[in-house]
């Protein structure tokens, strides 16, 4: 039996911005949720897999994230990109899920892949290398010199967008400790970074 | 604020390496930060991830999102073994929602407080309210036969009578954990905590029988007024526990039986094709 | 054995005789029920939908007697889809939630199959993406389509639709026609409407009810033929016409009576035949609900 399709109440413009889609989700439009899923689920999954390589946990977190988006779409204030907001939801859900599962841990993104040195080593094109250098300067060296605790704080707060208090809970330390470590880490890295890139980070 | 790298995009090789976990930490962090800002690269990473897993997750999301959320009391019942289709049927009942049950708790709590704080332990408020909670709950659980809302229920295989009886049982069951614990806090003999069950289990069939004549709303009001008259009328002349003493309980039992007979007779003589209630 | 068989069916409400002896049989295909308000259309549909019982006469649905055993009536209801004239929705229910609720009432106990079936019927009526909206927030036509969706659950063998086109715009009515034409292959569809154009477009067969009795029962083309030679276009209204009106072109469409001078015969429509059949009463009873 042929399904009869009607255009939704808002005609599907080819590039409806993410913000408009979220607004439609608040009105109960599952088509908009599907579109947001199509746009964001893939990169969210990839990024989550770098934090925890258990595909089942990642799938559950992804599901929770979009169900949460459906229920709380009104809490999106329109400040900042939808992508960043979604990562905030996803990562916090992952953290709380991992707290319950003793057998799965949050991976550190600072450990380079052991494999990469052995078989397939990716050498970015010279152009890319130069541009990466513009973004982050000689960060690799500076980060290597940081202690693991400092690196963990940088990952949680700077890369993943947790508040200092949430990072404290995740890492099992007091909030003040997080702030101190972050401050010291940034001070140590400051010498190696372009100012613009640092401002980008916060 | 504008950043110098807005014209830079990750090429497919870089993205593939990122997905495969083969990038060094800085490269990985760089790609990640870029993806939060660049819709185009987010599209380009799509075919590089585990697409069947993404599709499976979408189906699970869709099911969760389309199917309505069950109210808390029903979710609890489900954990205790309530069959899944039954939970969908009960979820549509207003008197099984958290708000309703919460109001019942509040009303009973006030009744208990009134008994605890008064100098002579007046239990009338409790005896008045406790049996009416299931009665009013059942009256609110369905509409009259001619209600536009009910027209589909009448013509469905499940059966309207069966649905109403299901809801009645559910309302009664939900009233117990609310009223009995609070009843134990009453001053006076311990059996008071469950004594209200006698009138409750009688008034509900009376309500149903009456509702088959005048509809649930009018029947609910009548029963509520009648019971109030019994409790308040016996307040002055008779002891406080009179409404629930043994003799009265037997009378209630008789009433319940009578109501059952009325319902049975009505069902036999009804031309409404099984929708007497 | 016909899907629907009615013989000598009567029904009264107090002193009002809604049906005064109706003999009708329906099988697969779409039949339109036409008639002025109070003609007994809704009563007839409610009897076929087993919502109420007939006072006297024989009713057989899919070979069973709805006034018989509980088992008989339940067996009928398993193959029945019904869209009542007025449908109420519990407040704050979504379209999906409502159709799912009805699906459980129709004994779809397996959750996975039930959700798939609910999606199927909602897609059929074009409400796929709006399914998660609260029904109270939908337009009148969308609400009607939710009602239509639930009637299609489980591919019923008898489909009773009471005024399904109310609140639908022409595009949606065309969609309904498409849906019904597919369904009609294995289903006896009985629908009532005020719009003769719907009957002309949707139905092969038409039954005209008035005053609780059947005035006509036959093919749509047959009914149109009854108006042959009695419809004209003229410059002035005939003075003993059954009904006439001024068309957009300035000429008068005259039905019945003697042709006024200078009249040109016009191709009769179903509406003309309907008006002729029922006389001027049909006109006042909002038979021409749609603007010309």
């Amino acid at each position: 039996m042929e399904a009869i399709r009607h255009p939704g109440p808002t005609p599907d413009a080819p590039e409806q911005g993410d913000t408009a889609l979220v607004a439609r989700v608040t009105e109960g439009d599952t088509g908009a949720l599907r579109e947001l899923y199509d746009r964001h689920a893939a990169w969210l999954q990839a990024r989550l897999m770098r934090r925890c390589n258990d595909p089942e946990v990642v799938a559950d977190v992804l599901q929770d994230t979009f169900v949460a988006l459906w229920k709380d779409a009104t809490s999106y204030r329109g400040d900042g990109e939808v992508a960043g907001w979604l990562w905030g939801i996803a990562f916090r859900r992952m953290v709380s899920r991992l707290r319950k599962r003793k057998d799965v841990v949050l991976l550190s993104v600072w450990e380079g892949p052991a494999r990469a040195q052995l078989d397939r080593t990716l050498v970015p094109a010279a152009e890319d290398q130069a541009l990466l250098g513009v973004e982050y300067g000689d960060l690799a060296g500076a980060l290597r010199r940081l202690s693991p605790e400092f690196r963990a704080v940088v990952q949680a707060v700077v890369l993943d967008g947790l508040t200092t208090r949430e990072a404290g809970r995740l890492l099992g330390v007091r909030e003040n400790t997080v702030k101190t470590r972050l401050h010291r880490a940034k001070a140590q890295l400051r010498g190696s970074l372009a100012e613009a890139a640092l401002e980008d980070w916060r | 604020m504008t950043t110098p790298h807005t014209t830079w995009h990750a090429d497919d090789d870089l993205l593939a390496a990122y997905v495969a976990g083969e990038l060094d930490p800085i490269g990985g962090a760089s790609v990640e930060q870029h993806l939060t800002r660049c819709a185009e690269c987010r599209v380009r990473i799509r075919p590089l991830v585990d697409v069947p897993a993404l599709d499976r997750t979408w189906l699970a999301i869709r099911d969760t999102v389309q199917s309505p959320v069950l109210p808390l009391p029903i979710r609890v019942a489900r954990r205790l073994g309530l069959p899944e289709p039954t939970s969908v049927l009960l979820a549509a009942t207003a008197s099984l929602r958290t708000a309703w049950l919460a109001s019942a708790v509040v009303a009973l709590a006030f009744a208990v407080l009134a008994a605890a704080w008064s100098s002579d332990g007046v239990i009338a408020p409790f005896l008045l309210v406790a049996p009416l909670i299931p009665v009013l709950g059942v009256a609110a659980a369905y509409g009259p036969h001619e209600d536009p809302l009910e027209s589909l229920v009448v013509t469905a295989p499940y059966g309207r009578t069966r649905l109403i009886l299901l809801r009645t049982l559910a309302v009664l069951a939900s009233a117990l954990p609310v009223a009995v614990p609070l009843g134990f806090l009453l001053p006076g003999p311990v059996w008071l905590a469950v004594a209200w069950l006698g009138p409750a289990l009688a008034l509900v069939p009376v309500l149903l029988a009456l509702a088959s004549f005048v509809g649930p709303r009018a029947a609910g009001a009548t029963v509520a007024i009648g019971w109030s008259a019994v409790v308040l009328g016996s307040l002055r002349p008779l002891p406080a526990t009179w409404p629930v003493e043994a003799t009265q309980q037997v009378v209630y039992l008789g009433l319940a039986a009578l109501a059952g007979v009325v319902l049975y007779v009505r069902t036999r003589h009804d031309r409404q094709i099984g929708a007497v209630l | 054995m016909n899907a629907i068989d009615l013989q000598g069916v009567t029904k009264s409400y107090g002193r009002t005789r809604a049906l005064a002896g109706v003999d009708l049989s329906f099988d697969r295909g779409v039949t339109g029920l036409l008639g002025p308000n109070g003609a007994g259309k809704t009563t007839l549909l409610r009897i076929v939908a087993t919502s109420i019982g007939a006072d006297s006469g024989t009713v057989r649905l899919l070979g069973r007697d709805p006034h018989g055993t509980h088992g008989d009536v339940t067996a009928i209801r398993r193959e029945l889809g019904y869209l009542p004239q007025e449908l109420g929705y519990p407040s704050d229910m979504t379209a999906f939630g409502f159709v799912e609720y009805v699906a459980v009432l129709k004994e779809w106990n397996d959750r996975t199959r039930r959700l798939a079936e609910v999606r199927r019927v909602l897609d059929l009526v074009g409400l796929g993406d709006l399914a998660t909206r609260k029904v109270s927030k939908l337009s009148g036509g969308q609400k009607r389509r939710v009602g239509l969706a639930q009637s299609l659950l489980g591919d019923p063998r008898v489909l009773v639709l009471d005024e399904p086109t109310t609140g639908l715009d022409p595009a949606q009515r065309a969609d309904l026609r498409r849906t019904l034409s597919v369904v009609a292959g294995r289903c006896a569809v009985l629908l009532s409407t005020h719009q003769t154009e719907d009957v002309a477009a949707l139905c092969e067969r038409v039954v005209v009810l008035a005053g609780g009795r059947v005035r006509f029962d036959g093919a749509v083309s047959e009914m149109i033929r009854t108006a042959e030679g009695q419809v004209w276009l003229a410059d002035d209204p005939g003075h003993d016409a059954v009904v006439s009106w001024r068309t957009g072109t300035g000429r008068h469409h005259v039905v019945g009576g003697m042709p006024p001078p200078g009249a040109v015969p016009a191709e009769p429509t179903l509406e003309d035949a309907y008006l002729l059949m029922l006389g001027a009463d049909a006109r006042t009873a909002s038979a021409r609900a749609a603007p010309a």
Side-chain angles (χ1 to χ4, degrees):
Chain A
M1 203 171 292
E2 212 197 337
I4 298 158
R5 284 242 142 242
H6 289 260
T10 351
D12 269 291
E15 279 313 308
Q16 260 203 332
D18 283 348
T19 318
L21 286 177
V22 173
R24 273 171 57 195
V25 168
T26 58
E27 292 165 14
D29 185 337
T30 32
L33 185 71
R34 175 80 220 232
E35 179 61 30
L36 281 169
Y37 187 82
D38 280 345
R39 290 185 191 182
H40 294 281
W43 73 269
L44 280 171
Q45 184 192 71
R47 192 167 171 182
L48 286 170
M49 282 298 289
R50 291 227 313 151
R51 304 289 189 280
C52 149
N53 53 13
D54 185 334
E56 253 189 62
V57 173
V58 168
D60 283 342
V61 169
L62 200 54
Q63 184 180 336
D64 284 352
T65 305
F66 279 86
V67 171
L69 161 58
W70 174 261
K71 290 189 184 149
D72 291 323
T74 43
S75 67
Y76 175 62
R77 295 274 163 251
D79 50 341
E81 295 228 5
V82 171
W85 179 62
L86 282 176
W87 173 252
I89 301 175
F91 187 61
R92 284 171 174 87
R93 298 221 161 223
M94 162 151 281
V95 165
S96 69
R97 208 171 256 272
L98 291 183
R99 198 173 297 135
K100 294 175 196 144
R101 299 269 306 260
K102 305 292 185 251
D103 52 330
V104 191
V105 292
L106 194 68
L107 301 174
S108 163
V109 300
W110 304 120
E111 317 308 321
R115 281 176 38 227
Q117 279 111 34
L118 299 171
D119 33 338
R120 184 178 182 270
T121 321
L122 180 80
V123 179
E127 188 181 54
D128 288 340
Q129 274 223 18
L131 285 168
L132 287 174
V134 165
E135 292 219 13
Y136 291 103
D138 176 29
L139 201 47
L143 273 169
R144 229 170 279 127
R145 287 188 285 279
L146 281 180
S147 66
E149 296 89 22
F150 281 37
R151 284 202 296 238
V153 160
V154 169
Q155 175 179 334
V157 176
V158 179
L159 284 192
D160 289 332
L162 291 184
T163 64
T164 44
R165 182 204 271 166
E166 287 168 331
R169 281 182 63 207
L170 171 66
L171 300 169
V173 299
R174 285 182 10 248
E175 185 180 354
N176 277 334
T177 317
V178 172
K179 286 187 183 165
T180 321
R181 287 184 187 171
L182 192 59
H183 187 75
R184 294 227 200 102
K186 280 190 178 167
Q188 272 189 271
L189 296 169
R190 202 178 298 270
S192 334
L193 290 177
E195 280 301 348
L198 181 59
E199 270 166 45
D200 253 358
W201 271 12
R202 276 296 186 75
Chain B
M1 90 159 237
T2 52
T3 41
H5 53 268
T6 43
T7 52
W8 177 77
H9 287 290
D11 69 16
D12 286 344
D13 279 341
L14 200 59
L15 288 175
Y18 169 73
V19 171
E22 287 162 1
L23 276 190
D24 63 291
I26 303 306
S30 177
V31 169
E32 271 182 10
Q33 296 303 302
H34 178 73
L35 282 174
T36 49
R37 282 181 293 243
C38 177
E40 192 187 309
C41 290
R42 291 199 289 260
V43 168
R44 300 235 309 282
I45 203 176
R46 283 207 302 236
L48 304 171
V49 300
D50 184 356
V51 173
L54 279 187
D55 288 341
R56 276 195 303 273
T57 306
W58 167 252
L59 292 182
I61 294 170
R62 184 191 56 175
D63 277 355
T64 313
V65 144
Q66 282 184 325
S67 222
V69 177
L70 299 175
L72 179 61
I74 312 268
R75 289 208 298 272
V76 169
R78 187 96 182 81
R79 288 258 180 87
L80 298 174
L82 186 71
E84 198 265 325
T86 315
S87 61
V88 174
L89 290 180
L90 290 177
T93 319
S95 23
L96 291 170
R97 303 249 171 98
T98 318
W100 176 280
L101 290 173
S103 320
V105 169
V106 168
L108 282 174
F110 272 118
V112 168
L113 282 174
W117 284 342
S118 64
S119 50
D120 51 354
V122 51
I123 55 172
F126 187 87
L127 290 182
L128 176 59
V129 171
L132 287 185
I133 286 174
V135 165
L136 295 177
V138 172
Y142 67 104
H145 179 79
E146 318 76 52
D147 217 333
L149 211 56
E150 301 295 321
S151 45
L152 289 183
V153 178
V154 172
T155 56
Y158 191 84
R160 183 176 139 96
T161 310
R162 191 170 153 206
L163 182 64
I164 293 173
L165 289 176
L166 172 72
R167 288 181 174 163
T168 303
L169 279 172
V171 168
L172 276 169
S174 69
L176 284 173
V178 166
V180 171
L182 282 171
F184 279 123
L185 300 175
L186 280 176
V190 167
W191 54 266
L192 271 182
V194 292
W196 62 271
L197 271 173
L201 291 173
L203 290 176
V204 167
V206 168
L207 168 78
L208 292 176
L210 205 52
S212 69
F213 292 98
V214 299
R217 309 268 184 262
T222 312
V223 170
I225 292 172
W227 178 246
S228 306
V230 167
V231 173
L232 298 174
S234 66
L235 207 48
R236 238 172 250 287
L238 297 157
T241 57
W242 181 83
V244 290
E245 279 169 8
T247 328
Q248 280 65 257
Q249 301 278 15
V250 172
V251 171
Y252 301 145
L253 195 60
L255 260 182
L258 182 62
V261 167
V262 167
L263 278 171
Y264 179 75
V265 167
R266 293 264 301 169
T267 323
R268 303 304 272 171
H269 282 245
D270 178 52
R271 280 299 268 175
Q272 301 275 22
I273 319 191
V276 63
L277 279 172
Chain C
M1 181 203 72
N2 285 319
I4 304 174
D5 233 316
L6 304 165
Q7 283 177 30
V9 167
T10 65
K11 178 76 185 173
S12 305
Y13 295 105
R15 281 197 300 197
T16 324
R17 209 124 208 260
L19 291 177
V22 167
D23 295 309
L24 285 171
S25 280
F26 306 96
D27 213 358
R28 286 180 293 190
V30 186
T31 305
L33 210 54
L34 270 180
N37 286 332
K41 302 197 299 292
T42 295
T43 308
L44 178 63
L45 291 177
R46 290 177 73 196
I47 289 177
V48 174
T50 72
S51 175
I52 58 177
D55 287 342
S56 68
T58 331
V59 180
R60 290 287 180 271
L61 302 170
L62 299 169
R64 294 171 187 265
D65 181 4
H67 302 91
T69 67
H70 184 68
D72 278 337
V73 126
T74 311
I76 295 172
R77 287 172 174 163
R78 289 203 177 100
E79 314 239 41
L80 180 70
Y82 177 39
L83 174 60
Q85 191 174 21
E86 275 172 44
L87 193 47
Y89 304 91
S91 59
D92 90 349
M93 232 182 190
T94 63
F96 193 97
F98 178 75
V99 180
E100 192 190 7
Y101 173 65
V102 179
V104 176
L105 288 174
K106 292 195 173 180
E107 302 178 328
W108 285 83
N109 292 329
D110 177 79
R111 183 165 195 255
T112 318
R113 293 184 57 232
R114 179 198 330 142
L115 294 185
E117 177 68 3
V118 171
R119 262 177 233 124
R120 181 187 75 90
V121 295
L122 282 171
D123 280 340
L124 257 185
V125 301
L127 285 176
D129 283 343
L130 294 177
T132 36
R133 276 240 189 133
K134 295 216 162 79
V135 180
S136 50
K137 300 230 170 88
L138 295 176
S139 72
Q142 286 165 339
K143 282 185 184 154
R144 206 88 189 108
R145 279 148 71 196
V146 174
L148 183 63
Q150 65 75 27
S151 74
L152 297 170
L153 282 167
D155 272 338
R157 280 171 57 201
V158 172
L159 191 57
V160 179
L161 308 173
D162 201 340
E163 314 251 359
T165 53
T166 318
L168 298 188
D169 65 38
Q172 291 161 345
R173 278 198 243 137
D175 285 336
L176 173 61
R177 284 166 200 166
R178 254 198 302 276
T179 313
L180 289 185
S181 63
V182 178
V183 165
R186 54 177 180 280
C187 177
V189 181
L190 189 55
L191 65 90
S192 78
T193 173
H194 284 131
Q195 324 257 28
T196 46
E197 311 97 68
D198 283 334
V199 177
L202 273 163
C203 312
E204 305 111 39
R205 185 169 152 211
V206 60
V207 168
V208 177
L209 262 190
R213 291 185 191 283
V214 176
R215 299 299 184 85
F216 179 87
D217 174 7
V220 169
S221 48
E222 262 181 65
M223 181 160 162
I224 295 177
R225 263 200 295 279
T226 66
E228 225 146 68
Q230 298 187 66
V231 183
W232 305 275
L233 271 179
D235 291 322
D236 52 84
H239 48 264
D240 67 341
V242 169
V243 68
S244 74
W245 61 84
R246 200 164 174 276
T247 69
T249 58
R251 310 195 72 194
H252 289 261
H253 184 105
V254 179
V255 182
M258 296 300 297
V264 167
E267 191 73 33
T269 64
L270 187 64
E271 184 179 28
D272 297 325
Y274 176 69
L275 293 170
L276 262 179
M277 203 170 281
L278 295 184
D281 312 321
R283 179 129 194 259
T284 53
S286 64
R288 292 190 70 234

